[in-house]
Amino acid sequence: MTAAEISRIAGVTRATVSNWRRRHDDFPAPSGGTDSSPLYDLEEVRAWLASRGHVSAANPSEELRTTLRLRARSGGASDLLLLVLAAASSSAEELTAAARLPDPDLVTHAQRDVATAANAVPSADAVHFEADDAAVLRALYACVRDDGGQAALGVLAERELEDSAASGAYRTPEPLADLLAALIPGSTARVLDPACGSGTLLEAAARRGVRELYGQDSLPVQALRSAVSLMLTAPEAEVTVRAADSLRADAFPDLLADAVLCNPPYGVRDWGHDELAYDPRWAYGVPARAESELAWVQHALAHLTPGGHAALLLPPAAAGRASGRRVRAELVRSGALRAVIALPAGASVPLHVGLQVWVLQRPEPGGPEHKSVLFVDTAVDTVTGTTAAAGRGGTAVTAWTRGGSRSASLDWEGITAHALGAWRAFAENPDAFEGAPGVAHAVGVVDLLDDLVDLTPARLVRASRTEIDPTKLSAEVDATRQDLVKAAKSLARVAGRENWSAAGAGAREWRTATASDLSRGGALTLLRPVPDSVRTRAQAASGESGPPETRAVLTGSDIATGSGPTGEPMGLYDDTTPVIAVGDVLVRAVASTDGPMARVAGEQDAGALPGPQVHLFRPDPKRLDAWFLAGFLGAEENIAGASTGSTILTVSPGRLRVPLLPLEEQRRYGEAFRHVHALRAESRRATRLAEETARLLAGGLTGGQLLPSPGDG
């Protein structure tokens, strides 16, 4: 194991590990690697840490990740994916008992479990565990017990993909998957995803009641992961997933689905252009070598029943590239293309590109003629022109990542409302659809069939902005400007308050303890969200057919923007699920420099469920002040020291450190942190209103709705 992995399991920084190596002669000697990057024996390191009272601070997922890397068997971790399915159906007590078995008995137990699971996935290869697998089997059972089956699947697939030459394998964000599934009108019984990856889109379809799920992926590990994941999240559905390239080796040549959902690979030139030149799927024209996306579009249409719909996530180049003009023209002329919806940058990988959703419908013989195509730009708000990610509902939030990449947390509620509102109104009566100026516009087929057949929504929707009522826009500008003036005065009042003083010649130092130490001492309780699979099992065991009520979900984005719970209301929970109470401290699970990392739960948060990217700390008010705790837990250096990951930095809650101070002194710090929170909130409000006022003015002046006053010259 590396020095970085030692720091993670010990709950310390890399610098601390370096100090141990220099100061302690009995620190384990390197057993491999190089002088600049030495490797250490895991068991020797653990024994050394235990001799000094260091309890492992690694969470179960991190422990599984470490044991996988040190696994003696060559190859990936796909043989363990089936075991997750069996383990997830066991109780916490059964998993604990299995993890405590002696190595030979543990291997026998796991072999029996995986044999049972193999019957549920007929296409899975036979699996055989060996004595050397005991450590990773023990870590897997613990991970499923504490973090859930989905977390274990993610770690295993991550390891398998690292060992392969595959690139570009990533999960479609859940809000985006839900949007694509919601774009399919009516009730559907059978859904296909021909590039299913980890199964996110099919999971979204299952949440909408679909009971026949078909998937295919070119990577065997992704196909198996998708099958297991779907069986965990939708145990009542009929799941069929195959591993093969859908364009070259279609596993379902005779399948006609009610709907197709797909996030296909982008920019692939070796997709089979030459060998598939005479394929019957190309009913709208043979895609050019550079147009693999249009091959996926026609593959989806070929698998639809007449009148069935498809929703595909595509790069913006597919809408305007010259090489795809003829195929696009046929899609428009035939009525197969029904809508193109532009998303803001950051909706999905690649994060710097604003992707598009194409909604298609297989023409019905003798069906209605489609005379127009809907175009929606969700990156702008109606009338105001503000972005969906940074409009009135909140500010855009960008995750802190290594290597310069950026992952945006967007206003999915606003994006979904724009997209679905326009699409449903258009689908109900295309001829009567009036659109929304600057946001949604229906363009006639004849107008689209020019020399370019450019289907870019921003270009086609922008032309409708001149329809905005000048009087309405002027009133909107004035109201927003007045709000800005009030916010600026409030910010000045908060910023003018002084509640600090210099520490003296040097910065103050104090002893600290980790959150894990404080939890063991009873000063606070760290509550983890219960995995979906556990909620589902608990509900099934109780005999309930549905949740008695629903609760809102507080997300990491809500903490960053200061909003109340905006997550999708959730009904699958039971008495073991943590519910947010006033005074709880909420910490985002993904490190970020945009917006606060922590806050104290107020009345608006009480009763909500913590989302999967939120850590919940419940302090004992007799020993810890909540605002003091939130201020130090969310400190930038503290977050950095407790974060792991190569691109997205995930916060390990047990490794966060807190100063050991008397309660009275904690309260003084807490009052200061409460003031910082108020200052940040007022600043955010003023910034948002200033940006909105500027956008309104600029859009009105350039759109012709507003005129400069005579004195402005």
Side-chain angles (χ1 to χ4, degrees):
M1 67 187 312
T2 64
E5 289 170 327
I6 295 175
S7 70
R8 286 199 290 270
I9 67 172
V12 297
T13 64
R14 289 279 302 275
T16 300
V17 176
S18 297
N19 286 334
W20 287 345
R21 293 171 56 193
R22 290 193 299 268
R23 296 171 56 186
H24 298 286
D25 294 336
D26 61 340
F27 189 84
S31 59
T34 63
D35 291 339
S36 59
S37 182
L39 296 176
Y40 301 86
D41 182 85
L42 173 62
E43 296 306 322
E44 290 182 5
V45 169
R46 281 178 169 161
W48 188 87
L49 292 173
S51 68
R52 280 158 178 76
H54 286 282
V55 180
S56 176
N59 58 38
S61 294
E62 191 63 44
E63 185 75 15
L64 176 59
R65 187 176 285 108
T66 300
T67 55
L68 277 172
R69 199 186 69 77
L70 301 173
R71 191 183 186 193
R73 184 187 304 193
S74 61
S78 59
D79 58 329
L80 295 165
L81 289 167
L82 282 177
L83 185 57
V84 174
L85 182 60
S89 63
S90 303
S91 66
E93 293 75 15
E94 291 171 333
L95 294 174
T96 299
R100 292 174 177 172
L101 290 171
D103 288 359
D105 295 340
L106 175 61
V107 171
T108 302
H109 181 86
Q111 193 66 51
R112 186 168 57 249
D113 275 356
V114 80
T116 302
N119 295 329
V121 187
S123 60
D125 294 332
V127 175
H128 179 71
F129 296 123
E130 300 173 357
D132 292 341
D133 294 323
V136 74
L137 294 174
R138 188 168 283 108
L140 186 144
Y141 280 126
C143 182
V144 173
R145 178 194 62 201
D146 295 344
D147 292 349
Q150 293 294 348
L153 284 178
V155 173
L156 296 176
E158 171 190 301
R159 178 61 181 163
E160 181 77 8
L161 291 171
E162 285 178 356
D163 289 343
S164 71
S167 62
Y170 53 88
R171 287 179 67 85
T172 305
E174 186 173 304
L176 178 55
D178 286 334
L179 172 59
L180 264 66
L183 288 168
I184 304 300
S187 59
T188 54
R190 181 181 301 171
V191 171
L192 166 70
D193 183 350
C196 63
S198 58
T200 312
L201 291 174
L202 291 175
E203 289 175 12
R207 286 193 290 272
R208 298 184 66 82
V210 178
R211 290 298 173 261
E212 287 187 51
L213 304 171
Y214 297 85
Q216 185 171 348
D217 197 88
S218 58
L219 297 177
V221 62
Q222 288 287 68
L224 183 55
R225 174 192 184 182
S226 179
V228 174
S229 178
L230 288 168
M231 291 176 184
L232 290 176
T233 57
E236 69 285 352
E238 179 183 334
V239 177
T240 307
V241 182
R242 297 289 182 263
D245 184 336
S246 289
L247 295 182
R248 284 189 168 98
D250 189 357
F252 308 103
D254 300 322
L255 174 66
L256 291 180
D258 301 316
V260 173
L261 301 174
C262 191
N263 180 0
Y266 308 147
V268 178
R269 298 186 68 86
D270 183 22
W271 56 269
H273 173 268
D274 295 337
E275 61 206 80
L276 300 174
Y278 300 100
D279 196 286
R281 288 173 291 183
W282 314 146
Y284 303 89
V286 178
R289 190 181 302 277
E291 297 292 346
S292 63
E293 296 85 6
L294 295 181
W296 285 102
V297 165
Q298 296 192 71
H299 177 81
L301 286 167
H303 274 290
L304 288 172
T305 59
H309 287 77
L312 278 75
L313 185 67
L314 301 176
R321 217 161 21 208
S323 56
R325 179 181 62 84
R326 291 184 180 179
V327 174
R328 290 196 302 271
E330 285 304 314
L331 291 170
V332 171
R333 186 179 291 111
S334 66
L337 181 65
R338 304 295 293 120
V340 180
I341 301 170
L343 301 172
S348 186
V349 177
L351 298 172
H352 65 286
V353 174
L355 301 174
Q356 298 173 358
V357 178
W358 285 27
V359 182
L360 304 120
Q361 183 179 20
R362 182 167 180 172
E364 298 179 84
E369 180 184 2
H370 296 149
K371 300 178 181 179
S372 59
V373 178
L374 173 67
F375 294 90
V376 182
D377 190 355
T378 65
V380 294
D381 194 1
T382 53
V383 179
T384 67
T386 55
T387 63
R392 297 175 190 168
T395 57
V397 181
T398 305
W400 172 26
T401 64
R402 290 178 180 160
S405 62
R406 303 178 72 80
S407 172
S409 178
L410 304 175
D411 176 19
W412 280 107
E413 184 177 355
I415 294 170
T416 301
H418 283 322
L420 289 182
W423 164 242
R424 287 170 178 170
F426 174 79
E428 183 178 352
N429 193 341
D431 296 334
F433 181 74
E434 296 182 357
V439 175
H441 189 49
V443 182
V445 169
V446 175
D447 296 327
L448 293 172
L449 296 176
D450 54 16
D451 292 340
L452 298 176
V453 197
D454 190 339
L455 306 178
T456 304
R459 181 181 72 87
L460 297 164
V461 167
R462 190 177 297 119
S464 69
R465 293 180 183 173
T466 57
E467 301 171 7
I468 299 173
D469 184 354
T471 304
K472 183 178 180 181
L473 180 58
S474 179
E476 184 80 11
V477 172
D478 189 55
T480 307
R481 182 187 59 79
Q482 293 181 23
D483 289 342
L484 173 60
V485 172
K486 294 177 182 177
K489 292 179 179 178
S490 179
L491 176 60
R493 286 194 300 271
V494 175
R497 179 184 172 192
E498 296 183 7
N499 61 341
W500 65 86
S501 60
R508 180 180 180 182
E509 297 182 356
W510 38 55
R511 291 190 305 116
T512 63
T514 65
S516 293
D517 292 335
L518 294 173
S519 178
R520 284 191 288 269
L524 62 81
T525 303
L526 175 57
L527 301 174
R528 301 176 184 273
V530 178
D532 289 341
S533 58
V534 175
R535 296 178 191 149
T536 303
R537 290 202 308 271
Q539 190 181 41
S542 67
E544 297 179 9
S545 59
E549 58 177 322
T550 59
R551 291 183 183 269
V553 174
L554 187 131
T555 67
S557 178
D558 296 332
I559 297 174
T561 61
S563 70
T566 63
E568 188 72 19
M570 185 172 293
L572 292 178
Y573 63 91
D574 55 28
D575 293 340
T576 66
T577 305
V579 177
I580 297 173
V582 175
D584 287 345
V585 176
L586 308 164
V587 179
R588 295 157 62 187
V590 177
S592 171
T593 56
D594 293 300
M597 282 295 298
R599 83 170 186 222
V600 177
E603 294 291 346
Q604 66 174 352
D605 308 319
L609 302 178
Q613 298 300 325
V614 173
H615 298 307
L616 193 156
F617 297 81
R618 182 161 292 163
D620 179 354
K622 296 179 180 179
R623 301 174 63 181
L624 284 174
D625 179 82
W627 279 103
F628 161 81
L629 182 63
F632 279 100
L633 288 181
E636 184 174 337
E637 291 185 359
N638 204 3
I639 294 294
S643 299
T644 59
S646 57
T647 303
I648 301 297
L649 301 184
T650 303
V651 178
S652 298
R655 296 173 57 189
L656 292 169
R657 307 192 75 87
V658 181
L660 299 176
L661 300 178
L663 184 59
E664 189 59 35
E665 192 170 6
Q666 290 182 36
R667 287 171 177 158
R668 291 198 296 271
Y669 273 96
E671 186 59 31
F673 283 127
R674 191 194 301 268
H675 173 72
V676 171
H677 175 79
L679 178 63
R680 180 180 279 124
E682 290 297 335
S683 173
R684 185 167 53 238
R685 177 168 171 258
T687 300
R688 176 176 57 81
L689 287 169
E691 180 64 27
E692 186 171 350
T693 302
R695 289 179 184 274
L696 281 166
L697 285 169
L701 291 169
T702 57
Q705 292 86 1
L706 300 179
L707 301 176
S709 64
D712 287 349

